[in-house]
């Protein structure tokens, strides 16, 4: 019999009435002939209330006790839900994470799942019961209660769907689905019919993220079809699939992180090991770094800039200070009041000028860009927080995301029509080799030796600079790969791009013609190698960056430039180093062939 997982978020179980309605959905699916597992969050704002209550008692609640406390919210919902199902005449059993056997590591408040036993759930399902699982929680090997991080019930749902080989996982929430951007900022934002896991991952940790990003990692890794949609009515929701739509939109959505902060570590020695050192420290502090930029070295000095959520700023600053102290050299600066705005879409892989268009739109609004990073399907800019909403609106309008697009046929979520077929696991072999379910899947490491780097320095740190640079390159028809822009300590900006080797001279000419300003300089390194590490959860697994840079440092490889996104880390080195590094990294992450 097919298994269906239904997850209900906090608002969908906030009152007795809503609990009853959620129970009705589960009962309907059961009577349709499915075995049903419900995953529930804490009611309404319960978790927030508990956090506040703890704060009234102490400034620094111990993480173990915090987990004991927060896990009660989900336990309450699960018990009430079981009663509601009983009232409807079906059998149900509520289970805590511990009772199911959701085994996690010991990192309280941000635990990762190691294993899930299916025995008890299967037994209950086979005896005709609806299983109601408390989301967000597990136990470590010593039976301490752990939680998976805020919003973690989505991850519980996707993980249970994966281990139970569920036919689908429906996430019922208080929104209609995934939107082109946050409708509170742009009222004309539209529901996206279908989005790929990669696009979702690039969006997920941001403001537009409807779901916990680790749940998407599970979905992609284990091929669980996800559908996210409203619990308060019958709506089609958004289907989240491993493959992109074909043809894929150039831009699927605009995401933003309002509260970003930036740390700069300048004037460190330009030699192997520095990045490794920094990333090791950040990883120890379990700080997920967002944008990372290492500037092109000047003389024997290099500088690194990275962004973190504002709440991690103090820890990140400390890590950078420790590195400077241990190196005996380097200055640390930090900047607050920043936001990150990103465009995401598979179509930009094959279209030139998408970044240029974004920069032009921002320039026309007088918005200054402080940092730029890219992946194949994403361009992110760091800007002043005051300009965040304006930037999101302008970019959404500029790419006409409010307009209806050709859509894939929608599938009724509540109507019981089967959702998209389960797609095969990302790579069963890799998955099998994982010791813990949430271990990083580095799906590929590749070296591209046919790239050149072109760098412009001494640019005015003003609105329109990036637009001018990329307008010129796009007009010349050159497909830019990596884009890295950083505001220097000297108040001037630097932009580096990688382009195909054959286009290097032309790119230099285009830039020299477009930038007559005497203060700017264009330089070109015709032979560079680009190492790309791709995978799911590179950002949430804080140790992956550390491992990558340690491997390179061990091989005495000097990192010239770094660029990151949710699903990719790109590193510029020499072509020889790219080959050596690629092999070493493939060994490290057990990639064959
Ligand atoms: N109740 C938890 C939270 O509010 C987990 C969840 O809702 O997914 O973060
Ligand atoms: Mg939630």
């Amino acid at each position: 019999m097919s298994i269906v997982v239904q997850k209900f978020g906090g608002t969908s179980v906030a009152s007795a009435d809503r609990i009853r309605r959620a129970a009705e959905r589960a009962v309907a699916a059961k009577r349709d002939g499915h075995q049903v597992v419900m995953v529930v969050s804490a009611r309404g704002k319960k978790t927030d209330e508990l956090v506040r209550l703890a704060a009234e008692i102490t400034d620094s609640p111990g993480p173990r006790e915090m987990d004991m406390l927060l896990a009660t919210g989900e336990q309450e919902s699960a018990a009430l839900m079981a009663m509601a199902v009983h009232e409807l005449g079906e059998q149900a059993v509520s289970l805590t994470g511990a009772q199911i056997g959701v085994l996690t590591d010991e990192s309280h408040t941000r635990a990762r799942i190691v294993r899930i036993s299916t025995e008890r759930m299967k037994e209950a399902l086979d005896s005709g019961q609806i299983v109601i699982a408390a989301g967000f929680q597990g136990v470590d090997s010593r039976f301490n209660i752990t939680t998976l991080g805020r919003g973690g019930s989505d991850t519980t749902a996707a993980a249970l769907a994966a281990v139970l080989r569920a036919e689908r996982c429906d996430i019922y929430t208080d929104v209609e689905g995934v939107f082109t951007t946050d409708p509170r900022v742009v009222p004309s934002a539209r529901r996206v019919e279908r989005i790929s896991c990669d696009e979702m991952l690039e969006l997920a940790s941001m403001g537009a993220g409807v779901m916990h990003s680790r749940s998407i990692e599970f979905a992609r890794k284990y091929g669980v079809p996800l559908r996210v949609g409203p619990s308060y009515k019958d709506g089609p929701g958004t289907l989240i699939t491993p493959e992109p739509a074909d043809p894929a939109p150039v831009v699927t959505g605009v995401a933003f992180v309002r509260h970003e902060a930036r740390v700069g570590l300048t004037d460190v020695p330009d030699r192997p090991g520095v990045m490794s050192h920094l990333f090791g420290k950040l990883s120890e502090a379990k700080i997920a770094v967002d944008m990372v930029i290492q500037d092109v070295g000047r003389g024997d000095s290099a500088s690194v800039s990275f962004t973190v959520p504002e709440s991690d700023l103090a820890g990140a600053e400390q890590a950078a200070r420790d590195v400077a102290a241990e190196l005996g050299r380097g200055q640390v600066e930090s900047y607050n009041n920043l936001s990150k705005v990103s465009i995401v879409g598979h179509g930009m892989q094959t279209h030139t000028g998408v970044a240029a268009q974004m920069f032009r739109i921002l320039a026309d609004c007088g918005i200054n860009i402080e940092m730029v990073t890219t992946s194949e399907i994403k361009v992110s800019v760091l800007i002043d927080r005051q300009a965040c909403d304006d930037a999101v609106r302008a970019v959404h309008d500029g790419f006409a995301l409010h307009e209806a697009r050709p859509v894939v046929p929608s599938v009724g979520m509540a109507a019981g029509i089967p959702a998209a077929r389960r797609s095969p696991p990302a790579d069963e072999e890799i998955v099998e080799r994982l010791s813990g379910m949430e271990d990083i899947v580095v799906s590929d490491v590749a070296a591209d030796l046919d790239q050149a780097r072109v760098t412009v320095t001494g640019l005015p740190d003003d609105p329109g600079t990036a637009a001018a640079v990329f307008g010129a390159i796009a007009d010349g028809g050159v497909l830019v790969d990596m884009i890295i822009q950083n505001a220097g300590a000297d108040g001037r900006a630097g932009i580096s791009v990688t382009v195909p080797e054959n286009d290097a001279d032309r790119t230099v000419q285009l830039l020299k013609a477009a930038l007559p300003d005497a203060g700017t300089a264009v330089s070109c390194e015709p032979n560079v190698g680009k190492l790309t590490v791709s995978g799911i959860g590179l950002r949430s697994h804080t140790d992956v960056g550390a491992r990558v840079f340690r491997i390179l440092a061990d091989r005495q490889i000097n990192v010239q430039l770094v660029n990151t996104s949710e699903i990719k880390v790109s590193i510029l080195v020499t072509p020889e180093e790219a080959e050596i590094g690629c092999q070493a990294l493939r060994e490290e992450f057990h990639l064959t062939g």
Side-chain angles (χ1 to χ4, degrees), residues 7 41-42 47 74 136 149-154:
K7 184 258 167 176
S41 291
T47 312
E74 272 70 14
F136 174 58
R150 296 303 305 271
S153 297
D154 290 336

Side-chain angles (χ1 to χ4, degrees), residues 7-10 40-48 70 73-74 135-136 149-155 212:
K7 184 258 167 176
F8 294 87
V40 291
S41 291
R43 294 190 307 117
K45 297 259 169 263
K46 186 84 198 184
T47 312
D48 291 335
L70 297 190
E74 272 70 14
F136 174 58
R150 296 303 305 271
S153 297
D154 290 336
T155 295
H212 203 225

